[in-house]
Amino acid sequence: MGAYILRRLLLMIPTILGILLINFTLVQFVPGGPVEQILAQLENEASATDRISGGSNEAGGSRGESSYQGARGLPKEFIEDLEKEFGFDKPPVERFLNMLKNYLVFDFGESYFRSISVVDLILEKMPVSITLGLWSTLLAYLVSIPLGIKKAVRDGSKFDSWSTGIIIMAYAIPGFLFAILLLVLFAGGSYVQWFPLRGLTSDGFEDFTLFAKIKDYFWHAALPVIASTIAAFASLTLLTKNSFLDEIGKQYVTTARAKGLSDGKVFYGHVFRNAMLIVIAGFPSAFIGVFFGASLIIEIVFSLDGLGRLGYEAAVTRDYPVFFGTLYVFGLMGLIINLISDLTYVWIDPRIDFKSRDT
C-alpha cells in the first residue's frame, strides 16, 4: 500500500509538468498577450484624444499636426519597459523554468491587472467553488442512491422505464442550458421570482443574524446547486442501479435465497454492502467531476465569484499568473482526489489490496 501511494505521488510530478508545459507552449502562439492588450488600449485612448484634438483644431480654423505624443505612436523604450515588467524580455524556456521553480513553493506571483497575489486571489475564490461542488455532490447522492436502488429492485417495470427516460433527458441537457432555464422560470425571467438572480449572498449579509445568514445562503445557492447536480444525478443513478443489478445476479445471492433467507435479509445483509462499494468509493471522483465540470459555466451564469469564473476571466484578459495558478491548483486537486478515491475503496472494503500493483 505504501509503495503504491508513493508511486502515485511521484507520477503526479510528470503529470502536472505535462499539463503546464502543454498550456505554456500553446500560450506562446496565442495572439493578444497582456502587453499587446495594454498597448492596444493605450493606442485607442490616444486615437480618441487625437480625434477630439483634431476636431477642436478644425473648429478653431487650424489644421496643424496634433501635439499629443500618443498620436505619434508609443515610444519603443516604453514598450521594452512594459515587456520587462511582465517578464517577457526573457526567453520562453527561462520563463517556464522560473515558473516551475516558483510553483514548487506555491508562489504563483501577482496578478497582472488586479494588484494582488495569485495565492490570495485563489484562497478568496476557492470557498465558493468548493461549497458549490460539495452541496451538488451531496444532493446528487441523496437523490440518486434511493432512486437507483428502487430502479434495480423494480427492473423492467413501468417505473423503471419512464424514470430512465427522464434520467436520459436530464443527462442530455447541457448544464448551462438548464441553468438558464432555471433563471427564466424561477428567478424573474418570464414567470416567477422565487430565487435571486445572481450571487451567493444578499446585500448587508454581514449584519444578518446566524439563522438569517444560513437561510439567505441556501436561498441563493438553491438554483446553482440544482443546475450543477443535473448531470451527476443522472450518471450516478444509472451507476447505482447497474451496481445493484450486477450484485443481484451473482451466485451468492442465489445461494442465500436457497438457504431460506428472506429477500430483505439477502438484499440489505449482502447485496447492499457490496453494491454500495463502488458508489460510495466514487464520492471523491463525483465531487471533482462536479467541481471541474460545472464550476465554470454555473459560476458565469449565476455570477458567482469562484475559481471557475476566475480562471475564465484570466484566460480572456491574458492574466497569465492567475491562469496558470488556477490551472495548477485544479490539476493538483484532481490528481490528489483521484488518489483519495482509490484509497476509499480499501477503506470501505479491506479485501481490496494494492500490493499486487506494486510488482
Side-chain angles (χ1 to χ4, degrees):
M1 171 68 78
Y4 173 76
I5 295 175
L6 179 61
R7 186 173 63 182
R8 286 288 298 271
L9 291 174
L10 292 176
L11 283 174
M12 292 181 186
I13 299 175
T15 304
I16 287 290
L17 179 63
I19 293 173
L20 293 176
L21 179 60
I22 292 173
N23 284 273
F24 185 86
T25 303
L26 292 175
V27 161
Q28 308 309 310
F29 299 99
V30 175
V35 174
E36 289 78 5
Q37 290 201 13
I38 292 177
L39 294 179
Q41 181 180 356
L42 292 175
E43 289 173 356
N44 290 335
E45 293 175 356
S47 299
T49 305
D50 187 51
R51 285 195 298 270
I52 296 174
S53 177
S56 300
N57 290 337
E58 289 181 8
S62 173
R63 293 181 177 271
E65 183 181 358
S66 172
S67 60
Y68 181 63
Q69 176 65 30
R72 298 191 294 271
L74 296 171
K76 182 178 180 181
E77 295 78 10
F78 173 79
I79 298 176
E80 292 176 351
D81 291 340
L82 195 61
E83 291 177 344
K84 184 176 182 180
E85 180 181 352
F86 286 115
F88 294 122
D89 57 324
K90 300 175 182 178
V93 175
E94 183 178 351
R95 285 190 281 119
F96 180 71
L97 293 177
N98 288 335
M99 183 180 72
L100 292 181
K101 181 179 66 175
N102 294 330
Y103 278 23
L104 288 176
V105 292
F106 289 89
D107 180 11
F108 304 134
E110 186 173 294
S111 170
Y112 286 159
F113 308 111
R114 300 183 185 230
S115 298
I116 182 175
S117 71
V118 177
V119 172
D120 292 338
L121 202 56
I122 291 176
L123 293 177
E124 178 185 336
K125 311 296 184 185
M126 186 176 289
V128 174
S129 297
I130 289 180
T131 54
L132 180 62
L134 184 61
W135 288 120
S136 300
T137 307
L138 288 174
L139 179 62
Y141 267 74
L142 289 175
V143 175
S144 300
I145 291 177
L147 180 59
I149 293 174
K150 188 172 183 179
K151 285 175 63 63
V153 173
R154 301 178 61 180
D155 183 43
S157 65
K158 291 184 178 180
F159 169 79
D160 181 43
S161 299
W162 66 257
S163 60
T164 299
I166 295 176
I167 289 171
I168 293 175
M169 289 177 58
Y171 187 78
I173 297 176
F176 77 93
L177 187 61
F178 188 69
I180 294 174
L181 178 64
L182 291 177
L183 288 178
V184 171
L185 293 178
F186 304 112
S190 302
Y191 295 90
V192 297
Q193 190 171 4
W194 293 344
F195 298 94
L197 187 62
R198 58 175 58 89
L200 274 182
T201 56
S202 301
D203 295 334
F205 179 80
E206 295 78 8
D207 300 327
F208 291 176
T209 63
L210 177 60
F211 177 76
K213 286 182 177 180
I214 296 175
K215 180 181 177 182
D216 182 75
Y217 170 78
F218 282 105
W219 181 49
H220 282 78
L223 293 186
V225 167
I226 293 174
S228 59
T229 301
I230 188 70
F233 146 77
S235 58
L236 186 57
T237 301
L238 294 179
L239 174 65
T240 304
K241 175 191 173 182
N242 293 332
S243 177
F244 273 82
L245 285 178
D246 182 60
E247 290 297 323
I248 291 174
K250 289 184 177 179
Q251 183 63 41
Y252 74 88
V253 175
T254 304
T255 303
R257 286 173 175 169
K259 291 181 178 179
L261 294 179
S262 64
D263 288 342
K265 289 184 177 181
V266 173
F267 189 84
Y268 293 103
H270 300 278
V271 174
F272 186 84
R273 176 188 175 186
N274 295 328
M276 286 299 295
L277 170 63
I278 189 173
V279 178
I280 297 176
F283 184 89
S285 298
F287 167 74
I288 205 66
V290 175
F291 185 78
F292 283 134
S295 62
L296 171 59
I297 297 176
I298 299 302
E299 287 174 11
I300 292 175
V301 172
F302 290 97
S303 300
L304 304 178
D305 204 9
L307 276 182
R309 184 180 175 187
L310 175 67
Y312 169 77
E313 292 177 349
V316 172
T317 60
R318 306 295 194 271
D319 196 345
Y320 292 148
V322 177
F323 173 75
F324 282 106
T326 54
L327 181 68
Y328 183 80
V329 171
F330 272 122
L332 194 59
M333 285 183 62
L335 292 172
I336 292 176
I337 291 181
N338 280 333
L339 175 59
I340 294 174
S341 180
D342 288 346
L343 298 179
T344 306
Y345 282 95
V346 181
W347 176 65
I348 294 176
D349 190 351
R351 293 174 299 176
I352 297 177
D353 190 5
F354 288 108
K355 289 182 179 180
S356 60
R357 299 191 182 188
D358 299 334
T359 59

